[in-house]
Each structure stands twice: as C-alpha cells, then as structure tokens.
C-alpha cells in the first residue's frame, strides 16, 4: 500500500535528518526491486551509505534492469540469502556498518544471524520490534510494540520491550514519552494476565526499573487513545488520549492492531528491531519504498543518538 500523500509526519523526520551525516548500513540481500530501490533512494536522500550484501552479479543485473546507477556503492558478494545475512551482521561486528537493513530475505533468516550466540549482535536486552506509525486520525507519530517478534512476552520481556521503545522515542526527540499499556479492560483482573503485567510495569517504572517514560495501564484501547473515553470511564491519567507508545499484551494483538491501522485508517508504518547492538531496519517485502525510507530515517536518528551516547561515555 503506497500512500504517497501522507500527513507530513514522516516528512518531518526526513527534515530532521537533513543536516546529519548518512550512516553506513549493511543491506542484507537486496535482490528484489523494492528492496534495492528503497536502499538506493535512502542513499539518494543521504540517510544511509548502503553496503549491498548478496550475489553481486544478481544485484548489478537488477540495478541495470531498473535503471539504477550504483556508482561507487560497495557490494559485498555473498552466494545466497543466508550467507548475506551472516556477512551483513559480520560487517556490523567489524564496525564497518552502524545499521543493518533487511533486503528481500525472510525476517527469520536475518534475525537468526542477529541472535546467533557467538557471531550475532546480542546485548543484555531482549530484541523487540516497533512499528512507527503515521496514522491520519492521530495527532502525532505512534509507536506500536511488539507486533512482530515476541509471541507471548513475559513480564520480564515486556520490561525490555518497553525500555527499547522508550529509548527509541527519546532518540527521536521526545523527553518523556507516554506509554499506554494495553489490555482488554482498564482495571486489574487476576484472570487477565495482561492487566497484572500492566500494573507491575507501572510500579516498576515508579521504582526506576524502567526509565525515561511515563507509563499507565492497564488501559483499553479506547481510553488509551481518547481523552473523552477516559473521562467517561472516570480515568485520570497523564497518558490517556496522548500516548506516544502503545505496548500491546502479545504479538497477535499487536499485529492485528498495526494492520488495522494500516488497512482501515490508511496509516503508513515503518519498522525497526531494537535491543541489538545496532538498530535493524526490518520492513516487509511487501512494504512500499516510502515505508522503507521512513524506516531508514528513524534508524538514522537512532544511530546518531547512539553515537552521542558512546561519545559521552568515553
């Protein structure tokens, strides 16, 4: 779904990237038209410096067929998608790339290389996915997590999922992002694990186990998004009606929510994987070039924020 008009929220991200240096990015197996076009357009917009990893002959033939001039773009030859994923991860480990971008391979192939115990990009955090969504009916960019990786996250998993999302939104310029922890109801119910997890996460934030954001939950979707719905139900909340992040109870709920926003509310979505050594641009093979560009813009901002943290630490 290529909605080229948008609402301007993604364009604001591109404007913020205008004065930043493009970030070296290992693009794993860009052997399909949209994957290659997305990487090269992001390069044209000076968001990334792509390193194309995959079958060199196939990449060059595809570029020629599409009329794409590769110029001085570096190509690292890898015979197939599995090898391309491993090599792209290796480039990150060697410090030659600061971002990892999925091309036309399966997500499982790329993430398998990312989480490999001895050769991957693991950190102390659990890896999680965020959809950064431009919803025409909502007043700002909305982050939905996790709708792609963690199937049935435990409370401990949700701590990392939440912290990953908070850290990302802070890197996008928000000082104290608001997190709505979603459930089917807004009251704690011992028969509904999502409500217990939500209450625990809020208490953990109070005790400093989650930092940088303002949390509230459990919140049903209506009173998370609508101040009026929250008022009618007697909910007093700094988050209700104005969340930056929607933390979903499990992958199925998150995936349905994100796709409903895309197909019923005409939302554009960008996708990133967080919690690894570097941000990972993880888009669907069916995503538009616009969506891939938005993902690159968010990743570029996150990479520059990470550079500043590293510099401050040294």
């Amino acid at each position: 779904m290529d909605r080229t008009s948008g609402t301007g929220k993604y364009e604001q991200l591109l404007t913020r990237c205008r004065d930043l240096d493009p970030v070296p990015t290992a693009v794993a197996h860009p052997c399909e038209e949209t994957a290659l076009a997305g990487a090269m357009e992001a390069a044209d917009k000076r968001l990334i410096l792509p390193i194309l990893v995959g079958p060199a002959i196939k990449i060059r033939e595809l570029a020629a067929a599409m009329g794409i001039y590769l110029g001085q773009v570096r190509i690292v030859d890898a015979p197939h998608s599995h090898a391309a994923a491993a090599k792209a991860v290796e480039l990150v480990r060697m410090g030659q790339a600061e971002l990892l971008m999925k091309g036309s391979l399966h997500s499982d192939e790329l993430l398998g290389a990312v989480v490999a115990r001895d050769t991957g990009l693991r950190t102390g955090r659990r890896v999680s996915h965020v959809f950064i969504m431009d919803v025409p009916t909502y007043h700002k960019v909305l982050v939905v997590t996790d709708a792609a990786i963690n199937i049935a996250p435990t409370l401990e998993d949700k701590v990392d999922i939440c912290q990953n999302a908070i850290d990302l939104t802070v890197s996008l310029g928000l000082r104290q992002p608001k997190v709505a922890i979603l459930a089917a109801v807004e009251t704690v119910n011992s028969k509904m694990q999502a409500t217990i997890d939500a209450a625990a996460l809020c208490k953990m934030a109070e005790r400093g186990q989650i930092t940088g954001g303002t949390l509230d939950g459990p919140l049903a979707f209506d009173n998370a998004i609508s101040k009026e719905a929250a008022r009618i139900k007697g909910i007093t909340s700094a988050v209700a009606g104005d969340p930056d992040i929607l933390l979903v109870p499990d992958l199925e709920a998150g995936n349905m929510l994100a796709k409903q926003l895309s197909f019923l509310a005409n939302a554009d979505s960008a996708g990133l994987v967080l919690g690894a050594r570097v941000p990972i641009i993880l888009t669907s093979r069916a995503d538009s070039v616009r969506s891939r560009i938005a993902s690159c813009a968010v990743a570029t901002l996150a990479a520059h924020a990470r550079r500043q943290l590293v510099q401050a630490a040294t």
Side-chain angles (χ1 to χ4, degrees), residues 223-267:
N223 44 62
I225 290 295
S226 167
K227 285 184 182 293
E228 180 62 14
R231 185 193 65 78
I232 291 171
K233 293 193 175 183
I235 298 171
T236 301
S237 170
V239 173
D242 192 40
D244 301 288
I245 299 166
L246 299 179
L247 182 67
V248 300
D250 57 35
L251 183 145
E252 289 181 315
N255 194 273
M256 288 183 221
L257 173 58
K259 288 179 178 176
Q260 284 168 351
L261 292 174
S262 292
F263 286 89
L264 293 179
N266 288 332

Side-chain angles (χ1 to χ4, degrees), residues 277-301:
R277 291 191 192 181
V278 298
I280 302 166
I281 303 163
L282 192 76
T283 52
S284 166
R285 286 171 291 167
D287 282 346
S288 66
V289 171
R290 172 180 165 81
S291 178
R292 293 173 189 268
I293 292 298
S295 299
C296 290
V298 175
T300 295
L301 292 170

Side-chain angles (χ1 to χ4, degrees), residues 90-103:
E90 181 184 341
L91 292 173
V92 174
R93 288 177 61 91
M94 294 170 61
Q96 296 182 28
E98 295 178 59
L99 292 173
L100 183 62
M101 184 175 183
K102 177 191 168 194

Side-chain angles (χ1 to χ4, degrees), residues 122-295:
R122 286 173 176 260
T123 68
R125 292 268 187 92
R126 187 167 186 85
V127 170
S128 62
H129 181 274
V130 294
F131 277 118
I132 305 98
M133 308 204 74
D134 180 355
V135 185
T137 53
Y138 194 63
H139 58 282
K140 56 184 173 180
V141 169
L142 190 62
V143 172
V144 177
T145 191
D146 179 341
I149 293 179
N150 292 283
I151 297 173
T154 64
L155 174 62
E156 290 76 16
D157 295 338
K158 289 179 182 179
V159 171
D160 283 350
I161 292 169
C162 185
Q163 193 67 65
N164 286 343
I166 290 171
D167 291 349
L168 173 71
T169 51
V170 168
S171 74
L172 298 181
L174 293 177
R175 283 194 172 181
Q176 190 78 7
K178 299 177 181 180
V179 184
I181 307 167
L182 298 184
V185 296
E186 61 279 352
T187 53
V188 177
N189 184 328
S190 63
K191 296 179 181 179
M192 302 178 72
Q193 186 62 43
T195 67
I196 298 173
D197 288 351
L201 290 168
C202 291
K203 180 55 70 174
M204 294 170 85
E206 289 181 16
R207 299 290 167 84
Q209 292 173 266
I210 300 170
T211 61
T214 299
L215 279 62
D216 196 10
L219 290 170
F221 183 78
D222 56 348
N223 44 62
I225 290 295
S226 167
K227 285 184 182 293
E228 180 62 14
R231 185 193 65 78
I232 291 171
K233 293 193 175 183
I235 298 171
T236 301
S237 170
V239 173
D242 192 40
D244 301 288
I245 299 166
L246 299 179
L247 182 67
V248 300
D250 57 35
L251 183 145
E252 289 181 315
N255 194 273
M256 288 183 221
L257 173 58
K259 288 179 178 176
Q260 284 168 351
L261 292 174
S262 292
F263 286 89
L264 293 179
N266 288 332
D268 280 311
S269 65
L272 284 186
V273 171
L274 308 171
R277 291 191 192 181
V278 298
I280 302 166
I281 303 163
L282 192 76
T283 52
S284 166
R285 286 171 291 167
D287 282 346
S288 66
V289 171
R290 172 180 165 81
S291 178
R292 293 173 189 268
I293 292 298
S295 299

Side-chain angles (χ1 to χ4, degrees), residues 71-88:
Q72 299 301 310
V73 172
R74 181 182 173 191
I75 300 177
V76 176
D77 191 37
H80 45 69
S81 58
H82 188 73
K87 188 63 180 179

Side-chain angles (χ1 to χ4, degrees), residues 6-55:
T7 66
K9 301 186 187 82
Y10 279 178
E11 285 68 24
Q12 291 171 19
L13 290 175
L14 294 176
T15 298
R16 291 189 55 205
C17 294
R18 187 173 297 161
D19 297 326
L20 299 176
D21 294 331
V23 179
T25 302
V27 185
H29 205 255
C31 296
E32 177 272 332
E33 290 185 2
T34 305
L36 182 59
M40 295 307 297
E41 187 168 334
D44 289 342
K45 294 182 180 298
R46 290 185 49 77
L47 296 172
I48 66 172
L49 288 173
I51 305 169
L52 307 179
V53 186

